[in-house]
Amino acid sequence: MIRLTLAALALGAATSSDTRDLDAALKDRTPGAPQNCLRGFGSQTQNPQIIDDHTLLYPDGSRIWRNDLPAACPGLDSNAILVTEVRSGQLCQNDQIYTLQRGGIGIPGPRCRLGMFTPYSKVKRAR
């Protein structure tokens, strides 16, 4: 099964603004234990935010899943359409992604592997 993912919130190559965007997205959140797969891969995980060429964020209700690709993935930028190849009913480490450029001739970019998924949850403050 192949899913097309529009990277509407995509950003360009790694810059200090990417770091600021990542910091802002994960503000007031604490990381949990990394997992191999996202259970219930559905509409909420089909639109990841591209932070840079090796970091994706998958919103899931009040939680955000951070995926750090094991290697940089050329083509992850604001003009990309992200294509995710899901081999099982779950989005997992080592599933492959690639990009298509908007308005391009449809030549896919290089295939890249997903890394582990780290959940980031809001910190509950004591009253």
Side-chain angles (χ1 to χ4, degrees):
M1 171 190 323
I2 296 176
R3 299 212 181 210
L4 290 177
T5 304
L6 298 177
L9 299 174
L11 301 171
T15 65
S16 61
S17 67
D18 296 336
T19 302
R20 285 192 303 268
D21 292 334
L22 181 62
D23 291 344
L26 300 178
K27 183 181 178 184
D28 298 329
R29 296 178 184 272
T30 40
Q35 297 182 16
N36 289 326
C37 297
L38 291 183
R39 310 274 185 266
F41 177 69
S43 60
Q44 72 275 16
T45 56
Q46 290 181 26
N47 294 310
Q49 179 180 357
I50 298 172
I51 297 298
D52 55 33
D53 62 359
H54 59 272
T55 310
L56 301 172
L57 298 179
Y58 291 86
D60 182 19
S62 63
R63 188 176 344 175
I64 295 175
W65 293 90
R66 178 179 175 165
N67 191 282
D68 292 305
L69 282 59
C73 189
L76 283 180
D77 62 33
S78 60
N79 292 318
I81 296 171
L82 186 63
V83 179
T84 305
E85 295 183 349
V86 178
R87 303 272 179 226
S88 65
Q90 303 176 81
L91 186 60
C92 293
Q93 177 184 19
N94 293 323
D95 279 346
Q96 293 189 359
I97 61 171
Y98 61 92
T99 59
L100 297 172
Q101 293 301 311
R102 294 182 199 281
I105 55 176
I107 298 173
R111 292 186 184 275
C112 304
R113 291 182 307 118
L114 292 173
M116 297 281 286
F117 293 89
T118 304
Y120 281 77
S121 300
K122 288 269 187 185
V123 177
K124 296 187 182 193
R125 299 180 190 253
R127 291 180 185 225

